[in-house]
Amino acid sequence: MNEPIVSPWLIYWAGRMDMIHHFCIVAGVLLTMGAGISITGIVSSRADCGSDYNGFGKAFLNFTKKLTCVALIVDVLAMAVPTKDEMIAMYVAGRITPANIETTGELADKAVDKLIEKILKASKAMKE
């Protein structure tokens, strides 16, 4: 009963999610640009040479393949990592149930009724 309503770790990670999301976006853009430039270099060198690669060309081709894979992974992370607002919305959506809404509505009705009673008592006291 004395447990916190919201986990402090959730608050911490929700605050960090925007930073992680933006980092993934920037890293993904840079890695994708690098992979595109590498692929362009491979295609243009293949068109110029018209033959297979020597040892350096094969190493560059392997590097480009790895760079492209990493770029794709980071791009997927950039799309999958939620923002702070999305994370809070997911948390709230997971906690709202029809029973909670009904209970909240009843409590709100009782609070409004008590407030009206207090206002009526105060106005009667002022008249007397």
Side-chain angles (χ1 to χ4, degrees):
M1 195 69 167
N2 287 332
E3 293 182 27
I5 296 171
V6 178
S7 169
W9 283 106
L10 177 70
I11 295 169
Y12 172 78
W13 284 111
R16 296 286 182 247
M17 290 312 284
D18 278 340
M19 180 183 65
I20 295 169
H21 182 77
H22 287 88
F23 174 79
C24 287
I25 289 173
V26 170
V29 166
L30 293 176
L31 288 170
T32 303
M33 285 174 34
I37 291 168
S38 294
I39 291 170
T40 304
I42 288 174
V43 170
S44 66
S45 68
R46 200 164 236 217
D48 291 342
C49 296
S51 64
D52 288 335
Y53 293 110
N54 56 13
F56 176 74
K58 288 182 181 181
F60 187 67
L61 181 64
N62 287 335
F63 169 76
T64 302
K65 287 179 183 178
K66 291 177 184 174
L67 181 64
T68 303
C69 289
V70 170
L72 288 173
I73 291 169
V74 174
D75 289 340
V76 168
L77 274 176
M79 289 186 288
V81 172
T83 62
K84 178 181 178 181
D85 294 337
E86 292 168 340
M87 188 172 184
I88 291 170
M90 289 187 306
Y91 179 80
V92 170
R95 299 297 185 263
I96 294 177
T97 63
N100 289 346
I101 294 171
E102 186 177 317
T103 303
T104 305
E106 291 172 6
L107 290 175
D109 290 341
K110 289 179 185 177
V112 169
D113 290 340
K114 285 185 180 181
L115 183 61
I116 291 171
E117 287 176 17
K118 287 184 180 184
I119 292 172
L120 290 174
K121 285 181 185 178
S123 65
K124 286 180 184 178
M126 299 262 307
K127 287 181 182 178
E128 293 176 358

